[in-house]
Amino acid sequence: MKIIHKLTQCCFLRVPPLFFWFRSFHHRMALALCLQVLCSLGGWLSLYISLCRLTKHRSYEWSCRLVTFTHGVLSIGLSAYIGFIDGPWPFTHPGSPNTPLQVHVLCLTLGYFIFDLGWCIYFQSEGALMLAHHTLSILGIIMALVLGESGTEVNAVLFGSEITNPLLQMRWFLRETGHYHSFTGDVVDFLFVALFTGVRIGVGARLLYCEMVSPKPKWFVKVGGVAMYAVSWCFMVSIWRFAWRKSIKKYHAWRSRRSEEWQRKCNGHVKTHSPRLAPDNGLG
């Protein structure tokens, strides 16, 4: 009995330090994640302030969209490397534990989304749909970081969401500089609509299906995936409407040019033959 009592005392003496060690470990991990997000937020904010000072003759939105373009290119490259090279593959391993590289990229992106959401709210530049997209993105990234899993599919969603972002910013810059109504503007619009439809809607549907049928991801992670895909469809409806209106305008402009060219040819034909007919009539 004395031996059992001593063993019990030893166990109780050892459990609290072990418990506090795990507790402090989780606190250190949470603190490290918060520090990464704060560094990311500070970095994007510093870049924005620097661009505002360098481009004083431009608007604040010009500088913000430059930051957005930079984040888009950077996040596309990093998320593509994670998905296609570093792994794991999101279509076969949803709900997998987060890798260190995934955590770094998610913290980098979370800092950007916090910056951009704050900017949009302060300047009131975006509608409810874009604000909902930013809010869902922030909640999804936080959820993956807190759980320590599902970073694979969140990274894939990041790739699909950001792949059209540089084109969207290029379209805005073309409009601001007066070069939108050109062949370059048409190419940018075509690539934007094609990539959004093919990647964000087509490939996104396949990713959502893999997420829903897999038993690994938590149920609220699946709900978040459905919400993000629903927001993508809301964007898609407005994009298709825009593409239809622009196609109709292009078609009418083409018909108008064809009719003008036909009338010009007809008028030129009459003018080239009428001087030859006049002398013949006079001689006759």
Side-chain angles (χ1 to χ4, degrees):
M1 290 298 292
K2 291 183 178 180
I3 296 175
I4 296 175
H5 181 68
K6 289 183 179 180
L7 289 175
T8 306
Q9 284 183 342
C10 292
C11 290
F12 276 111
L13 287 173
R14 291 178 181 177
V15 167
L18 188 62
F19 169 77
F20 286 118
W21 185 87
F22 277 114
R23 188 177 178 181
S24 61
F25 174 76
H26 287 296
H27 284 173
R28 289 197 301 269
M29 290 293 293
L31 184 61
L33 292 176
C34 292
L35 186 61
Q36 288 188 63
V37 175
L38 288 176
C39 290
S40 173
L41 176 60
W44 295 117
L45 187 59
S46 300
L47 178 61
Y48 170 72
I49 294 173
S50 301
L51 290 173
C52 287
R53 292 178 177 177
L54 290 174
T55 57
K56 294 180 180 180
H57 60 288
R58 298 291 185 179
S59 63
Y60 291 127
E61 187 173 2
W62 180 281
S63 300
C64 183
R65 287 187 178 270
L66 283 176
V67 174
T68 302
F69 181 84
T70 304
H71 170 263
V73 174
L74 186 61
S75 61
I76 289 171
L78 291 174
S79 58
Y81 175 80
I82 291 174
F84 293 103
I85 299 176
D86 191 64
W89 187 239
F91 296 97
T92 56
H93 295 81
S96 300
N98 300 340
T99 64
L101 183 57
Q102 289 174 356
V103 172
H104 294 324
V105 173
L106 292 179
C107 289
L108 178 71
T109 302
L110 180 57
Y112 162 76
F113 275 121
I114 293 174
F115 157 77
D116 199 47
L117 179 63
W119 193 94
C120 293
I121 293 174
Y122 181 80
F123 287 95
Q124 298 180 356
S125 60
E126 299 292 345
L129 188 60
M130 182 60 72
L131 295 179
H133 171 265
H134 277 42
T135 303
L136 286 174
S137 299
I138 291 173
L139 293 177
I141 294 173
I142 292 176
M143 181 174 57
L145 290 174
V146 170
L147 291 175
E149 61 184 39
S150 294
T152 303
E153 56 265 38
V154 173
N155 176 80
V157 172
L158 174 64
F159 174 79
S161 300
E162 294 297 320
I163 195 170
T164 55
N165 197 295
L167 294 171
L168 185 63
Q169 308 313 317
M170 287 175 61
R171 181 178 181 272
W172 187 88
F173 288 128
L174 288 173
R175 291 182 69 91
E176 286 294 304
T177 55
H179 297 90
Y180 175 68
H181 299 287
S182 61
F183 177 74
T184 304
D186 294 338
V187 172
V188 169
D189 282 344
F190 174 78
L191 291 176
F192 175 77
V193 175
L195 283 175
F196 199 102
T197 306
V199 177
R200 198 157 175 173
I201 299 300
V203 180
R206 176 63 180 173
L207 180 63
L208 182 61
Y209 171 78
C210 296
E211 179 82 6
M212 298 301 290
V213 299
S214 176
K216 289 185 179 181
K218 303 289 192 299
W219 65 269
F220 44 86
V221 177
K222 297 180 179 182
V223 172
V226 173
M228 283 294 293
Y229 191 69
V231 170
S232 297
W233 262 107
C234 292
F235 281 123
M236 189 73 260
V237 171
S238 61
I239 289 171
W240 279 347
R241 288 177 179 174
F242 156 76
W244 175 255
R245 289 195 301 267
K246 184 170 184 178
S247 300
I248 293 299
K249 288 181 180 179
K250 288 288 183 181
Y251 174 72
H252 287 312
W254 176 77
R255 287 288 301 270
S256 178
R257 287 197 302 269
R258 287 294 299 271
S259 61
E260 289 177 1
E261 290 176 0
W262 183 79
Q263 291 177 1
R264 200 178 300 116
K265 287 181 180 179
C266 291
N267 294 335
H269 179 76
V270 173
K271 287 180 181 179
T272 54
H273 285 77
S274 55
R276 295 180 182 178
L277 294 176
D280 292 341
N281 290 336
L283 289 173

